Short mmCIF file of all heavy atoms in Angstrom, two decimals:
data_model
loop_
_atom_site.label_atom_id
_atom_site.label_comp_id
_atom_site.label_asym_id
_atom_site.label_seq_id
_atom_site.Cartn_x
_atom_site.Cartn_y
_atom_site.Cartn_z
N GLN A 288 -11.72 -22.15 -1.59
CA GLN A 288 -12.09 -21.38 -0.35
C GLN A 288 -10.87 -20.68 0.16
O GLN A 288 -9.76 -21.25 0.09
CB GLN A 288 -12.70 -22.28 0.68
CG GLN A 288 -14.13 -22.89 0.37
CD GLN A 288 -15.12 -21.80 0.37
OE1 GLN A 288 -15.12 -20.84 1.13
NE2 GLN A 288 -16.14 -21.92 -0.46
N LEU A 289 -11.04 -19.53 0.77
CA LEU A 289 -10.03 -18.77 1.35
C LEU A 289 -10.45 -18.36 2.77
O LEU A 289 -11.45 -17.76 2.91
CB LEU A 289 -9.69 -17.49 0.57
CG LEU A 289 -8.74 -16.48 1.31
CD1 LEU A 289 -7.41 -17.06 1.55
CD2 LEU A 289 -8.66 -15.22 0.50
N ASN A 290 -9.68 -18.78 3.74
CA ASN A 290 -9.94 -18.39 5.17
C ASN A 290 -9.03 -17.22 5.46
O ASN A 290 -7.78 -17.23 5.34
CB ASN A 290 -9.61 -19.53 6.14
CG ASN A 290 -10.65 -20.65 5.99
OD1 ASN A 290 -11.73 -20.41 5.64
ND2 ASN A 290 -10.20 -21.84 6.39
N CYS A 291 -9.60 -16.03 5.80
CA CYS A 291 -8.83 -14.84 6.07
C CYS A 291 -7.83 -15.12 7.24
O CYS A 291 -8.22 -15.56 8.31
CB CYS A 291 -9.78 -13.69 6.48
SG CYS A 291 -8.83 -12.22 7.03
N PRO A 292 -6.52 -14.86 6.99
CA PRO A 292 -5.49 -15.16 8.06
C PRO A 292 -5.72 -14.32 9.25
O PRO A 292 -5.21 -14.65 10.31
CB PRO A 292 -4.19 -14.73 7.30
CG PRO A 292 -4.49 -14.89 5.89
CD PRO A 292 -5.91 -14.40 5.73
N SER A 293 -6.48 -13.20 9.18
CA SER A 293 -6.69 -12.36 10.31
C SER A 293 -7.95 -12.70 11.13
O SER A 293 -7.84 -12.86 12.32
CB SER A 293 -6.76 -10.87 9.94
OG SER A 293 -5.52 -10.37 9.49
N CYS A 294 -9.06 -12.73 10.47
CA CYS A 294 -10.40 -12.95 11.17
C CYS A 294 -10.99 -14.33 10.86
O CYS A 294 -12.04 -14.64 11.42
CB CYS A 294 -11.36 -11.87 10.86
SG CYS A 294 -11.89 -11.86 9.11
N ARG A 295 -10.35 -15.07 9.98
CA ARG A 295 -10.85 -16.47 9.66
C ARG A 295 -12.20 -16.47 8.89
O ARG A 295 -12.79 -17.48 8.69
CB ARG A 295 -10.94 -17.36 10.86
CG ARG A 295 -9.76 -17.37 11.82
CD ARG A 295 -8.47 -17.67 11.04
NE ARG A 295 -8.44 -19.03 10.45
CZ ARG A 295 -7.57 -19.48 9.68
NH1 ARG A 295 -6.49 -18.65 9.30
NH2 ARG A 295 -7.61 -20.68 9.17
N ALA A 296 -12.60 -15.33 8.37
CA ALA A 296 -13.79 -15.31 7.57
C ALA A 296 -13.50 -16.09 6.28
O ALA A 296 -12.42 -16.05 5.70
CB ALA A 296 -14.17 -13.80 7.22
N GLN A 297 -14.57 -16.74 5.82
CA GLN A 297 -14.39 -17.57 4.58
C GLN A 297 -14.87 -16.82 3.34
O GLN A 297 -15.94 -16.17 3.39
CB GLN A 297 -15.26 -18.81 4.76
CG GLN A 297 -14.73 -19.87 5.81
CD GLN A 297 -15.43 -21.19 5.79
OE1 GLN A 297 -16.51 -21.30 5.27
NE2 GLN A 297 -14.86 -22.18 6.42
N HIS A 298 -14.14 -16.98 2.29
CA HIS A 298 -14.42 -16.35 1.03
C HIS A 298 -14.25 -17.33 -0.09
O HIS A 298 -13.30 -18.06 -0.05
CB HIS A 298 -13.55 -15.06 0.81
CG HIS A 298 -13.50 -14.12 1.91
ND1 HIS A 298 -14.57 -13.33 2.29
CD2 HIS A 298 -12.48 -13.83 2.80
CE1 HIS A 298 -14.23 -12.59 3.33
NE2 HIS A 298 -12.90 -12.91 3.65
N THR A 299 -15.19 -17.30 -1.04
CA THR A 299 -15.07 -18.20 -2.19
C THR A 299 -14.18 -17.59 -3.21
O THR A 299 -14.34 -16.46 -3.67
CB THR A 299 -16.48 -18.39 -2.80
OG1 THR A 299 -17.34 -19.02 -1.79
CG2 THR A 299 -16.37 -19.43 -4.05
N ALA A 300 -13.10 -18.27 -3.58
CA ALA A 300 -12.16 -17.74 -4.56
C ALA A 300 -11.25 -18.83 -5.07
O ALA A 300 -11.07 -19.96 -4.43
CB ALA A 300 -11.33 -16.71 -3.91
N THR A 301 -10.79 -18.69 -6.31
CA THR A 301 -9.83 -19.67 -6.89
C THR A 301 -8.49 -18.99 -7.19
O THR A 301 -7.54 -19.69 -7.49
CB THR A 301 -10.44 -20.21 -8.24
OG1 THR A 301 -10.73 -19.16 -9.14
CG2 THR A 301 -11.71 -21.07 -7.97
N ALA A 302 -8.43 -17.70 -7.10
CA ALA A 302 -7.16 -16.96 -7.38
C ALA A 302 -7.19 -15.62 -6.71
O ALA A 302 -8.25 -15.11 -6.54
CB ALA A 302 -6.95 -16.84 -8.88
N ALA A 303 -6.07 -15.08 -6.41
CA ALA A 303 -5.98 -13.75 -5.76
C ALA A 303 -6.52 -12.70 -6.70
O ALA A 303 -6.97 -11.66 -6.19
CB ALA A 303 -4.51 -13.48 -5.41
N THR A 304 -6.43 -12.88 -7.98
CA THR A 304 -6.88 -11.88 -8.86
C THR A 304 -8.40 -11.55 -8.78
O THR A 304 -8.87 -10.59 -9.41
CB THR A 304 -6.58 -12.26 -10.35
OG1 THR A 304 -7.10 -13.59 -10.64
CG2 THR A 304 -5.01 -12.29 -10.53
N GLN A 305 -9.16 -12.44 -8.10
CA GLN A 305 -10.57 -12.15 -7.95
C GLN A 305 -10.86 -11.10 -6.89
O GLN A 305 -11.95 -10.58 -6.78
CB GLN A 305 -11.32 -13.51 -7.49
CG GLN A 305 -11.29 -14.59 -8.63
CD GLN A 305 -11.96 -15.77 -8.10
OE1 GLN A 305 -11.42 -16.88 -8.14
NE2 GLN A 305 -13.25 -15.64 -7.67
N PHE A 306 -9.81 -10.76 -6.15
CA PHE A 306 -10.00 -9.74 -5.12
C PHE A 306 -9.42 -8.38 -5.64
O PHE A 306 -8.35 -8.38 -6.25
CB PHE A 306 -9.28 -10.07 -3.82
CG PHE A 306 -9.85 -11.32 -3.27
CD1 PHE A 306 -9.12 -12.52 -3.26
CD2 PHE A 306 -11.14 -11.43 -2.62
CE1 PHE A 306 -9.56 -13.76 -2.68
CE2 PHE A 306 -11.59 -12.57 -2.05
CZ PHE A 306 -10.86 -13.73 -2.17
N PRO A 307 -10.04 -7.23 -5.28
CA PRO A 307 -9.65 -5.93 -5.84
C PRO A 307 -8.25 -5.49 -5.31
O PRO A 307 -7.95 -5.75 -4.11
CB PRO A 307 -10.72 -5.01 -5.48
CG PRO A 307 -11.30 -5.67 -4.21
CD PRO A 307 -11.24 -7.13 -4.48
N ILE A 308 -7.48 -4.83 -6.18
CA ILE A 308 -6.16 -4.22 -5.70
C ILE A 308 -6.43 -3.13 -4.74
O ILE A 308 -7.36 -2.30 -4.94
CB ILE A 308 -5.38 -3.80 -6.98
CG1 ILE A 308 -4.99 -5.01 -7.78
CG2 ILE A 308 -4.12 -3.09 -6.50
CD1 ILE A 308 -4.42 -4.60 -9.17
N SER A 309 -5.70 -3.03 -3.69
CA SER A 309 -5.78 -1.89 -2.75
C SER A 309 -5.04 -0.71 -3.24
O SER A 309 -3.88 -0.48 -2.90
CB SER A 309 -5.26 -2.35 -1.38
OG SER A 309 -5.41 -1.26 -0.45
N TYR A 310 -5.70 0.08 -4.13
CA TYR A 310 -5.04 1.27 -4.73
C TYR A 310 -4.69 2.30 -3.61
O TYR A 310 -3.70 2.96 -3.76
CB TYR A 310 -5.91 1.90 -5.83
CG TYR A 310 -6.02 1.02 -7.03
CD1 TYR A 310 -7.17 0.24 -7.24
CD2 TYR A 310 -5.02 0.83 -7.90
CE1 TYR A 310 -7.37 -0.54 -8.34
CE2 TYR A 310 -5.18 0.07 -9.08
CZ TYR A 310 -6.33 -0.64 -9.25
OH TYR A 310 -6.43 -1.43 -10.34
N GLY A 311 -5.57 2.34 -2.63
CA GLY A 311 -5.29 3.28 -1.51
C GLY A 311 -4.02 2.86 -0.82
O GLY A 311 -3.16 3.80 -0.43
N MET A 312 -3.75 1.61 -0.55
CA MET A 312 -2.53 1.10 0.11
C MET A 312 -1.37 1.44 -0.72
O MET A 312 -0.30 1.90 -0.25
CB MET A 312 -2.63 -0.36 0.41
CG MET A 312 -1.28 -0.92 1.02
SD MET A 312 -0.97 -0.23 2.61
CE MET A 312 -2.24 -0.98 3.64
N GLU A 313 -1.48 1.25 -2.12
CA GLU A 313 -0.27 1.50 -2.95
C GLU A 313 -0.03 3.00 -2.96
O GLU A 313 1.23 3.37 -2.99
CB GLU A 313 -0.64 1.01 -4.41
CG GLU A 313 -0.76 -0.55 -4.53
CD GLU A 313 -0.89 -0.96 -5.94
OE1 GLU A 313 -1.27 -0.19 -6.79
OE2 GLU A 313 -0.45 -2.07 -6.18
N ALA A 314 -1.04 3.83 -2.98
CA ALA A 314 -0.75 5.29 -2.89
C ALA A 314 -0.04 5.70 -1.59
O ALA A 314 0.79 6.52 -1.56
CB ALA A 314 -2.07 6.06 -3.12
N PHE A 315 -0.50 4.97 -0.53
CA PHE A 315 0.13 5.30 0.80
C PHE A 315 1.54 4.87 0.77
O PHE A 315 2.36 5.60 1.28
CB PHE A 315 -0.68 4.54 1.90
CG PHE A 315 -0.08 4.64 3.28
CD1 PHE A 315 -0.11 5.84 3.98
CD2 PHE A 315 0.57 3.52 3.77
CE1 PHE A 315 0.49 5.89 5.21
CE2 PHE A 315 1.17 3.58 5.01
CZ PHE A 315 1.10 4.77 5.77
N ILE A 316 1.86 3.77 0.20
CA ILE A 316 3.25 3.26 0.15
C ILE A 316 4.10 4.16 -0.69
O ILE A 316 5.27 4.52 -0.35
CB ILE A 316 3.34 1.85 -0.40
CG1 ILE A 316 2.63 0.87 0.63
CG2 ILE A 316 4.75 1.42 -0.64
CD1 ILE A 316 2.47 -0.55 0.05
N ARG A 317 3.54 4.67 -1.85
CA ARG A 317 4.30 5.59 -2.67
C ARG A 317 4.61 6.90 -1.87
O ARG A 317 5.64 7.47 -2.02
CB ARG A 317 3.49 5.90 -3.96
CG ARG A 317 3.63 4.75 -4.91
CD ARG A 317 3.15 5.25 -6.34
NE ARG A 317 1.67 5.66 -6.29
CZ ARG A 317 0.76 4.85 -6.52
NH1 ARG A 317 0.93 3.55 -6.76
NH2 ARG A 317 -0.51 5.28 -6.48
N LYS A 318 3.59 7.34 -1.09
CA LYS A 318 3.84 8.53 -0.29
C LYS A 318 4.91 8.34 0.78
O LYS A 318 5.69 9.24 0.98
CB LYS A 318 2.52 8.91 0.39
CG LYS A 318 2.58 10.21 1.18
CD LYS A 318 1.24 10.58 1.73
CE LYS A 318 1.21 11.88 2.53
NZ LYS A 318 -0.05 12.31 3.06
N LEU A 319 4.95 7.15 1.33
CA LEU A 319 5.95 6.82 2.35
C LEU A 319 7.33 6.82 1.72
O LEU A 319 8.31 7.47 2.27
CB LEU A 319 5.69 5.48 2.98
CG LEU A 319 4.57 5.41 4.05
CD1 LEU A 319 4.52 3.95 4.55
CD2 LEU A 319 4.88 6.32 5.23
N LYS A 320 7.43 6.24 0.55
CA LYS A 320 8.76 6.21 -0.17
C LYS A 320 9.20 7.66 -0.56
O LYS A 320 10.29 7.97 -0.47
CB LYS A 320 8.60 5.38 -1.35
CG LYS A 320 8.44 3.89 -1.10
CD LYS A 320 8.39 3.10 -2.40
CE LYS A 320 8.27 1.58 -2.10
NZ LYS A 320 8.13 0.81 -3.22
N GLY A 321 8.20 8.47 -0.90
CA GLY A 321 8.51 9.85 -1.28
C GLY A 321 9.03 10.60 -0.07
O GLY A 321 9.98 11.44 -0.22
N MET A 322 8.51 10.39 1.13
CA MET A 322 8.90 11.05 2.30
C MET A 322 10.35 10.62 2.69
O MET A 322 11.11 11.41 3.20
CB MET A 322 7.92 10.74 3.45
CG MET A 322 6.54 11.34 3.32
SD MET A 322 5.37 10.87 4.56
CE MET A 322 6.18 11.54 5.98
N GLU A 323 10.71 9.32 2.40
CA GLU A 323 12.02 8.91 2.74
C GLU A 323 13.13 9.44 1.93
O GLU A 323 14.25 9.60 2.36
CB GLU A 323 12.02 7.35 2.69
CG GLU A 323 11.06 6.66 3.68
CD GLU A 323 11.06 5.19 3.43
OE1 GLU A 323 11.62 4.75 2.38
OE2 GLU A 323 10.39 4.43 4.19
N VAL A 324 12.91 9.84 0.71
CA VAL A 324 13.88 10.28 -0.15
C VAL A 324 13.98 11.73 -0.29
O VAL A 324 14.85 12.31 -0.88
CB VAL A 324 13.67 9.72 -1.63
CG1 VAL A 324 13.66 8.17 -1.68
CG2 VAL A 324 12.33 10.22 -2.19
N VAL A 325 13.08 12.49 0.37
CA VAL A 325 13.13 13.99 0.35
C VAL A 325 14.27 14.41 1.20
O VAL A 325 14.34 14.14 2.46
CB VAL A 325 11.79 14.63 0.90
CG1 VAL A 325 12.00 16.12 0.94
CG2 VAL A 325 10.74 14.25 -0.11
N PRO A 326 15.30 15.15 0.73
CA PRO A 326 16.47 15.65 1.54
C PRO A 326 16.05 16.75 2.47
O PRO A 326 15.19 17.48 2.23
CB PRO A 326 17.46 16.11 0.44
CG PRO A 326 16.62 16.50 -0.61
CD PRO A 326 15.39 15.53 -0.68
N VAL A 327 16.76 16.76 3.61
CA VAL A 327 16.54 17.92 4.57
C VAL A 327 17.24 19.07 4.16
O VAL A 327 18.52 18.97 4.12
CB VAL A 327 16.85 17.35 5.98
CG1 VAL A 327 16.64 18.56 7.06
CG2 VAL A 327 16.05 16.16 6.36
N LYS A 328 16.61 20.23 4.01
CA LYS A 328 17.32 21.38 3.57
C LYS A 328 17.67 22.22 4.79
O LYS A 328 16.85 22.52 5.67
CB LYS A 328 16.42 22.24 2.63
CG LYS A 328 16.11 21.49 1.34
CD LYS A 328 15.26 22.33 0.46
CE LYS A 328 14.96 21.57 -0.88
NZ LYS A 328 14.09 22.38 -1.76
N THR A 329 18.98 22.63 4.90
CA THR A 329 19.40 23.43 6.05
C THR A 329 19.26 24.89 5.75
O THR A 329 19.16 25.69 6.69
CB THR A 329 20.83 23.04 6.38
OG1 THR A 329 21.65 23.29 5.22
CG2 THR A 329 20.95 21.64 6.77
N VAL A 330 19.31 25.28 4.49
CA VAL A 330 19.23 26.70 4.17
C VAL A 330 18.18 26.82 3.03
O VAL A 330 18.05 25.89 2.20
CB VAL A 330 20.56 27.28 3.76
CG1 VAL A 330 21.50 27.29 4.89
CG2 VAL A 330 21.21 26.51 2.60
N PRO A 331 17.46 27.94 2.96
CA PRO A 331 16.51 28.10 1.87
C PRO A 331 17.24 28.14 0.46
O PRO A 331 18.30 28.75 0.37
CB PRO A 331 15.88 29.48 2.15
CG PRO A 331 16.14 29.72 3.62
CD PRO A 331 17.45 29.05 3.94
N THR A 332 16.75 27.25 -0.35
CA THR A 332 17.29 27.23 -1.72
C THR A 332 16.23 27.17 -2.69
O THR A 332 15.06 26.86 -2.39
CB THR A 332 18.18 25.91 -1.91
OG1 THR A 332 17.31 24.78 -1.68
CG2 THR A 332 19.30 25.94 -0.95
N LYS A 333 16.49 27.52 -3.86
CA LYS A 333 15.53 27.47 -4.97
C LYS A 333 15.22 26.04 -5.33
O LYS A 333 16.10 25.22 -5.31
CB LYS A 333 16.04 28.28 -6.20
CG LYS A 333 16.27 29.73 -5.98
CD LYS A 333 16.67 30.39 -7.27
CE LYS A 333 16.86 31.96 -7.02
NZ LYS A 333 17.28 32.57 -8.25
N PRO A 334 13.94 25.70 -5.63
CA PRO A 334 13.58 24.35 -5.97
C PRO A 334 14.43 23.92 -7.23
O PRO A 334 14.66 24.65 -8.15
CB PRO A 334 12.11 24.48 -6.38
CG PRO A 334 11.66 25.76 -5.66
CD PRO A 334 12.83 26.71 -5.68
#
């Protein structure tokens, strides 16, 4: 049994792999990382 740490809802499970991966969250994190590494350009330059 798994009690959700946030809402305490009970879910039947024996391993984390039974729950789907949050691909949307992973895509969001990749987007955040991409925004952090993009340099600020002071003058127009060619890509």
Side-chain angles (χ1 to χ4, degrees):
Q288 291 290 328
L289 168 66
N290 291 332
C291 175
S293 291
C294 66
R295 311 308 297 172
Q297 291 188 344
H298 310 290
T299 301
T301 57
T304 53
Q305 293 179 237
F306 300 106
I308 296 170
S309 179
Y310 293 103
M312 176 63 73
E313 291 188 337
F315 174 71
I316 293 173
R317 284 196 296 273
K318 184 176 181 181
L319 284 180
K320 291 182 179 179
M322 293 173 63
E323 293 173 356
V324 301
V325 173
V327 178
K328 296 181 180 179
T329 57
V330 295
T332 59
K333 294 183 178 181

